[in-house]
Amino acid sequence: MLILSSSSEDLCTCSRLLKNGDIVAIPTETVYGLAANALDGDAVKKIFLAKGRPADNPLIIHISDISSFSEYCFPTESAYRLAEKFWPGPLTMILPKKPVVPDIVTAGLSSVAVRMPSHPTAHKIVSLCGFPLAAPSANISGKPSPTRFEHIINDLSQNEYVSAAVNGGNCECGVESTVVSLVSEKPCLLRPGAITVEMLRQVLPDLTVADAVLQRLPKNEKALSPGLMHKHYAPDAETVCLTGSADSALRYIKKRDTGKKTIVICFDGEEDVFSDYFTIPYGSPNKPETLAENVFAALRSADAEKGCELIYVRCAPPEREGLAVYNRLLRASDFTVIDTEECL
Ligand code: AMP
Ligand code: MG
């Protein structure tokens, strides 16, 4: 895997590889993405192979200017209003697809997911290419998403399908884009992200939130977004989320301590409370955007600790940017959230 910087010369190399049908890991403001020419079905196939991604989980396509929006889908009036307010930025819209988008990108659906990233490097790569980039998160399917360049090196440097990776430092948001469907009867939030429900409702007052954002769907129920059905973001070690105060979380952990190597991903300033355990602070619940920025890096660091068997994560309420963090932690822990105040 060729390592590239964000210099003009390296970004030209990156776009040349993409034009050639290769796949490249690129930084975005959400998480690192694994990019291919969205209009080249053979190139897109390599993304699925490199990630081990199930073929029924469609990809987001990334554009760099509003004039190309209607080349790949049929934008509604609401879509243009959302674009005006939130693009470029971490918002993905689901709209009816145009035939130019290959079926492999949309997993055969009649809709397509479109986003315009704000990260200057991602923006430059898309505009140099002159075609949209299909780019899912660059993790191996099921694992925590990559938000630091070292995550890309760890996960992909030996991956036979990936030709290059562009180093863009740390990702600002740290969680994947907000996904809104505009093909359902009412606009519907499918995946929470840095653009919050409150922000979206300023443009779309009738926005609903899909059940799957905060609940495990029954096996026979079809998800509005196929990605919500798959195991996701999960460390190798057993992961348990804890709500309540730090003291009650500590009591809960102590009571169940069976000598397993345990790591506590805690809020900033709680390291002393959990001093009997290895701690990884990941931000402040008063500033949920800090939790979002660090959540995947913290899950990865915990898992990388030698002999790690059990990870506890302090979990903030599912509000504002905290909804995105809660949604990812639900899946990372296979929906194991304990209210430690109730459960002592
Ligand atoms: P990722 O590429 O890893 O950020 O995941 C993209 C997310 O967008 C997944 O949850 C997909 O299921 C969802 N998605 C992509 N295209 C569509 C679509 N046409 N309809 C509904 N959800 C979609
Ligand atoms: Mg993903």
Side-chain angles (χ1 to χ4, degrees), residues 275-296:
S275 58
D276 287 346
Y277 302 94
F278 188 95
T279 52
I280 302 176
Y282 79 118
S284 162
N286 301 326
K287 290 187 182 157
E289 68 279 11
T290 59
L291 302 173
E293 190 185 336
N294 297 313
V295 63
F296 286 130

Side-chain angles (χ1 to χ4, degrees), residues 69-111:
F69 193 17
S70 58
E71 280 180 41
Y72 312 110
C73 64
F74 296 94
T76 56
E77 196 229 319
S78 308
Y80 280 114
R81 277 193 291 133
L82 286 174
E84 187 163 314
K85 186 138 175 117
F86 300 114
W87 277 0
L91 175 69
T92 297
M93 295 184 229
I94 311 286
L95 288 155
K97 116 187 207 330
K98 287 199 169 166
V100 64
V101 181
D103 283 340
I104 185 169
V105 171
T106 59
L109 295 175
S110 56
S111 57

Side-chain angles (χ1 to χ4, degrees), residues 51 53 57-60 94 106 109 111-113 135-137 176-177 179 190-191 224-228 232:
K51 280 178 59 86
R53 185 176 174 106
N57 194 2
L59 307 181
I60 296 169
I94 311 286
T106 59
L109 295 175
S111 57
V112 62
S137 51
E176 301 83 348
S177 59
V179 178
L190 302 185
R191 178 174 73 183
L224 291 172
S225 181
L228 297 174
H232 231 135

